Each structure stands twice: as C-alpha cells, then as structure tokens.
Amino acid sequence: MAQTSVNQIVSELRDRIQHLECPVVRSKAVLPFGVREIDERLPNGGLAYGAVHEFAGGGAGAIDGAAAALFAAGVAARTKGKVVWCLARPDLFAPALAQVGLHPDRVIYVEAIREEYVLESFEEALRFGGLGAVVAELVRLPMVASRRLQLAAESSGTIGLIVRRWRRPTEAADFGHPTAAASRWRISVLPSEPLPVPGIGRARWLAELIRVKAGESADFAIGACDGQGRISISSDAADGSGQTSRSIHTG
C-alpha cells in the first residue's frame, strides 16, 4: 500500500476518533455558581454541561415550587445563547424569570398538551445543540427516560434543567425515585434576610444538594437569585452554619 494511502487512512481515523471524543470533552465543561462554598462541592467546580440536572421544591406547595423554578431560571440566565423552556401548564410568570436575569428575548417557550410531549420536546432541544440551556417542567421522570435525556445532553454538550412540579401532594414522593441526573436539588423558602431598618430584605432559600455524581451532598442557606441569576451564601450563614454536610453519593 502506498505511503500516501496509509497517511490518508490514519488521518481519517484520527478525525473519526476526535469526532467521537468531542461529546466527552464538552461534558467536562462546567457552569460555576461563583460561590466557593457551593462550587467546591461540585465536580470540577460547577454544574456540568452536557448533563441533566433536577430541581424541586422542598415541599409540595406552590411557594417552594416557584423557588425551585427561579433557581433553575437563574442557572439558565448565566448561560449564553437562547434558552428553550418546555412546559405543559401555561402558568409560567415571565416577569419573574426576567427578575432573575432570564429575559423574554432569550426564551423560546414550547407548550405541550401532555407531559409525554414535554419529554419529547425536551429531548429534541437537547440533541439540537447550540442552545444556552434547555428547561423542562415535569411531574414524573422515570429512570429510562432520564437516561435517554442524559445521553441527549451528552451528545450536544447542552445543559438540561428539569423542574419537577406537583399537581397534588401525593406526586411529590416521585422525586425520591432514582434518576440519571448529574445533580438533584431541593429548594425551600426561608425567611427573608433581616434588615437594620423595617422593610423587606432579600429573599432567602434553603438549597439542598441531595445528590451529585462523584461528590458530596450538602445544604446551603442562600440569597435568592439577583438580576443576573447569581446567588450568594446568606449573611446569616457567613459563619458556615448554613452549610451542612450530608452522606456521599456517587453515580
């Protein structure tokens, strides 16, 4: 075989290997929170791109559920590019998303009549690539479906954010079932930060990192997302009392 042909074959093999390795390389990129206490708990210092992450309210009520949605919106706001938000219930309050940095001109809403169609739209958007983030509001997330979504995110390097929503209290128990998500968060509303004068302080949340692949779970008392989607450790927790280490979870 001529040397030229051999070199051409080797070159083609290298191109194929590089193409196959691209999703793996992209999946190592992360989106840090910019908060040391939180980022040091996450593999590589942030939420992984090319992966799916779950968020749910700490209770079955609408208030904690709204906090979880805003937390996820704050994450999406800190990405670059368009954000696709898939939902089956047309009750999302866009001005609230804008207050945490996710402005309407960045969001493409995909409204479906059934949750199965939300899953399909979410997967399609994840595979499409070139998006800042893809968000889906779901009640249930079976393990098989979560694995498929995780593979879709890995194939494009896009970050997928799933907001678990409950129509009734009994559905909240579904969040206890295992999924293939890279991280799982539970967000609860805390009393607002106290002010030296009468008034309303910054909203506060309890962010529970209840599972993370290759990392430890922990609790954080945080200030709610600001106008750029950024959070902060609550001033009441500056001494470290707002962070509680949990058991180790690996995936």
Side-chain angles (χ1 to χ4, degrees):
M1 183 180 295
Q3 185 64 35
T4 302
S5 299
V6 173
N7 291 340
Q8 183 177 358
I9 292 173
V10 171
S11 179
E12 290 176 355
L13 287 173
R14 285 174 177 169
D15 290 341
R16 291 182 182 181
I17 292 172
Q18 185 178 10
H19 176 74
L20 292 172
E21 289 179 342
C22 276
V24 177
V25 173
R26 285 195 299 265
S27 68
K28 293 180 181 179
V30 298
L31 177 66
F33 283 97
V35 179
R36 178 185 57 80
E37 294 88 342
I38 298 178
D39 289 339
E40 67 185 7
R41 293 281 183 170
L42 300 170
N44 300 314
L47 293 179
Y49 281 99
V52 171
H53 305 272
E54 280 185 82
F55 309 87
I63 295 177
D64 286 344
L70 289 176
F71 185 84
V75 173
R78 292 185 292 107
T79 65
K80 295 181 179 180
K82 292 290 186 179
V83 173
V84 172
W85 196 297
C86 308
L87 68 165
R89 299 166 63 181
D91 58 358
L92 190 65
F93 190 54
L97 302 188
Q99 288 182 347
V100 298
L102 189 56
H103 297 283
D105 59 352
R106 288 190 59 199
V107 186
I108 301 171
Y109 296 102
V110 178
E111 187 177 330
I113 60 175
R114 296 173 60 181
E115 184 156 301
E116 298 94 304
Y117 301 151
V118 173
L119 268 173
E120 292 177 4
S121 300
F122 185 51
E123 182 177 353
E124 282 295 317
L126 283 175
R127 292 190 185 280
F128 179 78
L131 298 167
V134 183
V135 187
E137 297 182 11
L138 297 171
V139 176
R140 296 182 176 85
L141 183 62
M143 174 59 84
V144 173
S146 70
R147 286 174 176 166
R148 191 172 64 246
L149 295 171
Q150 177 64 26
L151 289 173
E154 290 176 2
S155 69
S156 66
T158 303
I159 190 168
L161 311 174
I162 297 177
V163 180
R164 305 294 296 275
R165 295 193 61 182
W166 327 123
R167 292 183 176 87
R168 52 190 68 88
T170 54
E171 294 175 338
D174 189 76
F175 190 62
H177 297 164
T179 69
S183 71
R184 307 183 81 186
W185 299 78
R186 188 162 49 205
I187 311 298
S188 306
V189 174
L190 295 175
S192 299
E193 289 184 353
L195 295 175
V197 295
I200 300 176
R202 182 177 180 179
R204 294 194 310 146
W205 299 329
L206 173 64
E208 300 174 79
L209 177 58
I210 61 176
R211 180 183 180 275
V212 59
K213 290 184 177 180
E216 293 186 21
S217 57
D219 301 346
F220 308 95
I222 62 173
C225 297
D226 65 11
Q228 286 75 46
R230 299 171 302 191
I231 59 173
S232 63
I233 292 296
S234 172
S235 59
D236 287 357
D239 60 354
S241 61
Q243 179 177 319
T244 304
S245 179
R246 292 287 187 86
S247 58
I248 297 177
H249 296 261
T250 58

